[in-house]
Amino acid sequence: MSILSVAKEHLSADDIHIKLRKDYPGIGLATVYRTLELLVKRNLVYKFDFGDGRARYEIISDEKGKNHHHHLVCKKCSRVIDYNDFIDKEVELLQKTEKGLSQKYNFKITDHLIQFYGLCDKCK
Amino acid sequence: MSILSVAKEHLSADDIHIKLRKDYPGIGLATVYRTLELLVKRNLVYKFDFGDGRARYEIISDEKGKNHHHHLVCKKCSRVIDYNDFIDKEVELLQKTEKGLSQKYNFKITDHLIQFYGLCDKCK
DNA sequence: CCTTTGATGAGAACGATTATCATTTGCAAG
DNA sequence: CTTGCAAATGATAATCGTTCTCATCAAAGG
Ligand SMILES: [Mn+2]
Ligand SMILES: [Mn+2]
Ligand SMILES: [Zn+2]
Ligand SMILES: [Zn+2]
C-alpha cells in the first residue's frame, strides 16, 4: 500500500489518490485519507503544510533519521527543495535546544519542523 | 486597525473578527481577511499554521527582531508556547545555515519557521 | 450637486477534509 | 460449503475556513 507513496515527494492526498487508482482502480478518496491518517499516527509518513492550502505527505523511509531533512520553500512558485547538508551542525544545536526547552517548559519534544522561506534560483 | 491585533497572540481570523466587532460593529469577515492579507504581505503580521485547520495571526511588534520567537506546539491539547530563550544560539546557526543554503541552492532566504512538537506539561 | 474610484459587507462559491451510512469483504465458527 | 459478524471500503453529503462576486457606500475632486 504505502509502497506507492515512494513515487515522488510532497504529494497531496489527491495526487496519491490519482496514482493509486492506476493500480487499484476502485479505491476511494476517503480510504486514502484514512490510510494517510493512520500512517501519520504511526510515524511512517510526515504530513506537511507548505502554505498552499493542501496537506503534503512524505514517506519516512528509515527509522534512524537518515532520511530526515528540512525544506526550502519558494514563496513565489511554491517549489519545495529538500536539504540535509547542514543537518550535522543543526542536529547538535537542535538537541541542545530541545533539551533546554524540555526542561524549562516541562515539555516533551517528539518532533520538529524547520522550513526556510524565500525565492528559488528561478524566481529571484 | 492593527492596534487591535495586539490583544492576545495566535488569533484566528474569526477570533479577530469577533474582537473587532466590539469596536466596529458592522465590520465584515471579508475585510478582516483582506486586511490580514495586506499586513502579512507588508511583513507587519506573521501567519502561522499550527495544524488545527485554521490560520493564526501574530503581530510583529518591532523591526529588529526582538519580538521574534519560535513555538512549542502540544500535539494533544494544541496549546502553543512562545519561546525565545535559545534564540541567540539558534540565530547564530541559522545565519550560517542560511548562508550555506543560499549559496548551494542559489536560494534567497527571507524567513524561517521553527516549531517543536510534543506534549506540554499538562498533557504528558 | 455630480462623477469617479476605491473600500466595504453580505452572501455565494470554492476546495480540502471529514462524517455518514449502506455495502462489501475477510474470516472464522458451525 | 454456509452463516454470521465485525472491520474495511466507497459514494456521497456535510463541514468549515477561505476566497470570490457584486451591489452598495463613502470620500474626493471638479
Ligand atoms: Mn521533503
Ligand atoms: Mn507566538
Ligand atoms: Zn520559485
Ligand atoms: Zn497539551
Side-chain angles (χ1 to χ4, degrees):
Chain A
M1 289 293 181
S2 65
I3 304 172
L4 296 175
S5 297
V6 188
K8 284 184 181 179
E9 292 181 337
H10 313 136
L11 297 177
S12 69
D14 204 57
D15 293 336
I16 294 169
H17 182 219
I18 290 171
K19 282 188 181 288
L20 277 175
R21 270 196 302 196
K22 292 175 182 170
D23 290 304
Y24 307 86
I27 195 167
L29 183 56
T31 302
V32 174
Y33 275 108
R34 280 187 289 242
T35 306
L36 284 171
E37 188 185 357
L38 275 178
L39 294 174
V40 169
K41 266 186 191 161
R42 295 188 183 186
N43 290 316
L44 297 172
V45 161
Y46 281 127
K47 182 179 182 179
F48 285 106
D49 170 79
F50 294 132
D52 67 340
R54 61 181 73 187
R56 303 279 169 169
Y57 299 87
E58 185 165 14
I59 201 167
I60 303 175
S61 55
D62 72 16
E63 306 87 38
K64 292 166 190 171
K66 276 193 173 183
N67 172 250
H68 186 71
H69 61 271
H70 299 156
H71 293 117
L72 300 176
V73 182
C74 178
K75 280 184 174 177
K76 200 166 188 180
C77 72
S78 296
R79 192 154 70 105
V80 176
I81 300 171
D82 295 347
Y83 79 88
N84 52 16
D85 312 78
F86 294 84
I87 288 288
D88 299 334
K89 296 170 193 166
E90 281 184 25
V91 162
E92 190 183 340
L93 179 84
L94 279 178
Q95 285 175 346
K96 285 182 187 172
T97 304
E98 288 188 6
K99 192 172 182 180
L101 288 172
S102 292
Q103 290 179 352
K104 169 149 188 177
Y105 296 101
N106 196 26
F107 195 101
K108 169 75 176 171
I109 293 176
T110 59
D111 205 354
H112 62 253
L113 171 69
I114 297 186
Q115 294 177 358
F116 291 94
Y117 293 91
L119 297 174
C120 75
D121 55 347
K122 293 176 184 171
C123 290
K124 73 177 182 183
Chain B
M1 289 290 180
S2 65
I3 305 172
L4 295 175
S5 297
V6 188
K8 284 184 181 179
E9 293 181 335
H10 314 137
L11 297 177
S12 69
D14 205 56
D15 292 337
I16 295 169
H17 182 219
I18 290 171
K19 282 187 181 290
L20 278 175
R21 269 196 302 195
K22 292 175 183 170
D23 289 305
Y24 307 86
I27 195 167
L29 183 56
T31 302
V32 174
Y33 274 107
R34 280 188 287 242
T35 306
L36 284 171
E37 189 184 356
L38 275 178
L39 294 173
V40 168
K41 266 186 192 162
R42 294 189 184 186
N43 290 316
L44 297 172
V45 161
Y46 281 127
K47 181 179 182 180
F48 285 105
D49 170 77
F50 295 132
D52 66 339
R54 61 182 71 188
R56 303 278 171 170
Y57 298 88
E58 185 165 13
I59 203 167
I60 302 174
S61 55
D62 72 17
E63 306 87 38
K64 293 166 189 169
K66 275 194 173 182
N67 172 251
H68 186 70
H69 61 270
H70 298 156
H71 293 116
L72 300 175
V73 181
C74 179
K75 280 184 175 177
K76 200 166 188 179
C77 71
S78 297
R79 191 154 71 103
V80 177
I81 300 171
D82 294 346
Y83 78 89
N84 53 16
D85 311 78
F86 301 89
I87 289 286
D88 299 334
K89 295 171 192 167
E90 281 184 28
V91 162
E92 189 183 340
L93 180 84
L94 280 177
Q95 285 175 346
K96 286 182 190 172
T97 304
E98 288 188 6
K99 192 172 182 180
L101 288 173
S102 292
Q103 290 178 354
K104 170 149 186 176
Y105 296 102
N106 195 26
F107 195 100
K108 169 74 174 171
I109 293 177
T110 59
D111 205 353
H112 61 254
L113 171 69
I114 298 187
Q115 295 177 357
F116 290 95
Y117 293 90
L119 297 174
C120 75
D121 55 347
K122 294 176 184 169
C123 291
K124 73 177 182 181

